[in-house]
Amino acid sequence: MTNAASNNQPSYLQSVAAKAAYSRATRDKLVASRGKLDTVNAALRRAISTGRLRNTEELEKARVAMEINFREAERRLAQLQKAGFRDWQSFRDEVDDAWEDLSRSIQNLVARFDHEARED
């Protein structure tokens, strides 16, 4: 490989460092999200137990969807972390898609929570 060609492709060390940085940042976001999700779940349980909120089927579906999407984001990140230094980039889009799905499900749950709270 010529020197010019090697400058166009990331080196092994660059790829490993990029993968590690992306994995770390994504793991940190998931840990922070888990804390927020736990807080939302606790608030839901409190509101339901005190009678300020009814546990409707729609609210439960939104909560379950959020949990499923969180687990899927974790699963996809684990796949990326297991991938080799040449292959990890192909998993990055899947992790990003899972992250978007999780974000949407969180927004849906919060919207459902707000809707149910206004109904009562």
Side-chain angles (χ1 to χ4, degrees):
M1 184 182 297
T2 67
N3 195 23
S6 67
N7 287 337
N8 291 333
Q9 295 184 7
S11 72
Y12 170 78
L13 292 177
Q14 288 171 323
S15 183
V16 169
K19 176 185 171 186
Y22 180 82
S23 293
R24 216 175 12 261
T26 303
R27 172 59 52 201
D28 290 348
K29 286 191 323 188
L30 281 172
V31 167
S33 292
R34 179 78 262 166
K36 290 175 185 175
L37 298 178
D38 290 346
T39 299
V40 168
N41 280 327
L44 283 171
R45 284 191 303 273
R46 268 194 313 277
I48 291 167
S49 70
T50 61
R52 292 182 309 167
L53 187 68
R54 288 179 294 122
N55 190 15
T56 64
E57 185 176 335
E58 292 84 10
L59 185 61
E60 185 61 16
K61 282 181 183 177
R63 192 192 65 72
V64 168
M66 179 195 64
E67 291 295 338
I68 289 169
N69 286 329
F70 184 84
R71 286 193 300 275
E72 182 64 14
E74 284 184 314
R75 186 185 70 76
R76 289 188 182 180
L77 177 58
Q79 286 177 324
L80 178 140
Q81 290 171 329
K82 291 176 186 174
F85 82 97
R86 287 190 174 105
D87 300 327
W88 78 271
Q89 286 280 358
S90 65
F91 289 99
R92 186 176 183 162
D93 287 340
E94 291 182 26
V95 172
D96 291 342
D97 289 346
W99 184 256
E100 289 176 25
D101 291 345
L102 176 59
S103 295
R104 275 192 299 276
S105 65
I106 292 169
Q107 291 170 351
N108 184 36
L109 178 62
V110 170
R112 177 55 49 194
F113 180 85
D114 288 344
H115 176 77
E116 295 296 332
R118 283 194 304 270
E119 295 261 320
D120 287 342

